[in-house]
Amino acid sequence: YDEDVYQFNHTAVWGSFWEDGQWGYACCHQTVRNAYCTGSKGAEVAKRMKEEMASRVANARSELEKRNHERLKEAAAESVQKAKHGATEEELNNLDPSKVAKARLEERKRNQSATLDDRKRKFNSLKGEDDTVTEEMMEAFRMERNHADDPMAAFMSKKAKR
């Protein structure tokens, strides 16, 4: 390479400027190797454009954060009940109590049979079961499952063993 060879009207050599991990020309702050020199005015315009872009990005980011924060507030308010119980209060009130009781009995039977020896089960024995799950079945499952944060869980498990 020839030293101090200025190309495309530049007054500095390539590599005399470093910004954001890129080499460039010090005379115009161009980071494109074969770009034509725009001089000090080009450097000023590039600096203003960079500042304007940074402010636009900051504004867009703050707007996005505001929108996301509002959405999260709305979603949290709507799903407090659902997160706690897996269903909204309206859905729980619409359930048929007799169907829930029947589903609870089936859930208990299913839990008891799951504790039996699984080695004696036939290969395709689970294939004949119906895969549809109703709201009553989901409510029965929620009522019958053990909750880890329940302080009475240990007491109830001892009582069930008697």
Side-chain angles (χ1 to χ4, degrees), residues 10-27:
H10 289 287
T11 57
V13 294
W14 172 258
S16 57
F17 175 70
W18 175 265
E19 184 179 48
D20 297 331
Q22 293 183 336
W23 290 106
Y25 293 100
C27 56

Side-chain angles (χ1 to χ4, degrees), residues 129-140:
E129 293 182 8
D130 190 16
D131 290 341
T132 57
V133 178
T134 63
E135 278 296 321
E136 288 82 8
M137 294 171 78
M138 285 300 296
E139 182 62 21

Side-chain angles (χ1 to χ4, degrees), residues 84-87 92 95 99-111 114 133-147:
K84 201 179 231 185
H85 300 289
L92 293 177
L95 297 178
K99 289 182 181 179
V100 172
K102 183 181 175 186
R104 283 186 76 178
L105 287 173
E106 290 174 5
E107 182 70 19
R108 286 182 186 154
K109 288 179 184 176
R110 190 184 65 81
N111 286 340
V133 178
T134 63
E135 278 296 321
E136 288 82 8
M137 294 171 78
M138 285 300 296
E139 182 62 21
F141 171 75
R142 287 185 207 107
M143 293 171 91
E144 293 297 321
R145 71 177 175 180
N146 290 332
H147 299 282

Side-chain angles (χ1 to χ4, degrees), residues 7-75:
Q7 297 177 340
F8 304 107
N9 204 28
H10 289 287
T11 57
V13 294
W14 172 258
S16 57
F17 175 70
W18 175 265
E19 184 179 48
D20 297 331
Q22 293 183 336
W23 290 106
Y25 293 100
C27 56
C28 59
H29 295 194
Q30 287 278 354
T31 56
V32 179
R33 174 74 190 248
N34 293 326
Y36 190 78
C37 184
T38 55
S40 60
K41 289 185 180 182
E44 291 171 12
V45 169
K47 183 179 178 184
R48 278 195 312 242
M49 292 299 289
K50 187 174 182 181
E51 291 169 357
E52 185 178 332
M53 183 62 77
S55 68
R56 285 183 181 180
V57 167
N59 289 340
R61 186 173 286 147
S62 66
E63 284 292 322
L64 184 63
E65 287 175 358
K66 283 180 186 177
R67 272 191 257 139
N68 284 341
H69 185 66
E70 290 172 2
R71 284 186 196 152
L72 286 175
K73 274 185 173 179
E74 292 171 3

